[in-house]
Amino acid sequence: MPHKKGRVFSGARPTGRQHLGNYLGAIKNYVALQDEYECVYCIVDLHALTTVDTTENLRQNTYEMALDWLAAGIRAEDSIIFVQSHVPQVAELHLFLSMVTPLGKLTDLPTFKEKARQQPHNVNYGLVGYPVLMAADILLYKADTVPVGIDQEPHIEFAREVVRSFNFRYKTNVLVEPQMKATEFPKVLGIDGQQKMSKSLNNHIELAATEAETTQRVMQMVTDPQRQRRSDPGNPEVCNVFSLHKVFSSPDEVAMVNIECRRAGIGCVQCKQLFARNLNAHLAPFRQRRAEIGRDPQQVWDVLDQGRQRAAAIAEQTIAEVKAAIALP
Ligand code: TRP
């Protein structure tokens, strides 16, 4: 294996079929990082338990997400893809880290406060410990690089602090301070053109949707709100369709849309049709691979089990070092 720059770790909650926001915000980046780093990608089902009120879709959502990752180009031969709960050492490390974590630091985090506001009926202990579990994920695998969205910055900063506290308290250097690698793509808006794309808001475009479904969703996209009639000139800078053209259309097409929209030379319908065509062309190989792999679901579970074995080997080693550092008898 060629020499790699270091180890990447990232995790995402099992949300089932992935959408364009997941793709541009995370998956595309996960795929690209495989060339330069040793990558560990985790489906964080334990984190999901902090907010879900039913677990009935957990297994299916885990499967669908893993399938999308593989179809998008995460290579099981190179990278470790696994399910968080399959490697229970993370719970053990979480406990050790909790002993060097001041409670106030957790309750002060903006991410915690927001969740507590969203679910006042369920401010559970696990929710407070969410960043501790996330730190345990990263530190268990001694990852030095963590690709995440900018919203996760306080969690990465917490992980760095907990490394310093742990190493200081036990006079060791077993834990490694991770660096955040912010994903370049800013937040992807939903088809409403207002809010971040998300399944719960139902403003998403699923990667695995059919061509017809995708076109239908694209045709529903909200464009420049000031452009009400076909004859009104538009402003591509405030149009969500244009921002996605920049990702999926050719430079010539982007230049054309940019000019023609401003002088009402092209209408929103035509502009969206062009985008839908390009998006569908881009997703065609993904969909084909998804259908191939999905023909045998056991393949996906096998990949996750191989991932579990490789992840467990690293985790066991780290836990042994951590226990030795603490001087547990
Ligand atoms: N908290 C992350 C999110 O909501 C998910 C996550 C859990 C994660 N463990 C992680 C991300 C470890 C990076 C590394 O997006």
Side-chain angles (χ1 to χ4, degrees), residues 9-11 44 47 130 134 137-138 146 148 152:
F9 185 100
S10 197
V44 295
H47 276 108
Y130 186 107
M134 178 165 161
D137 281 330
I138 301 165
V146 186
V148 278
Q152 294 296 308

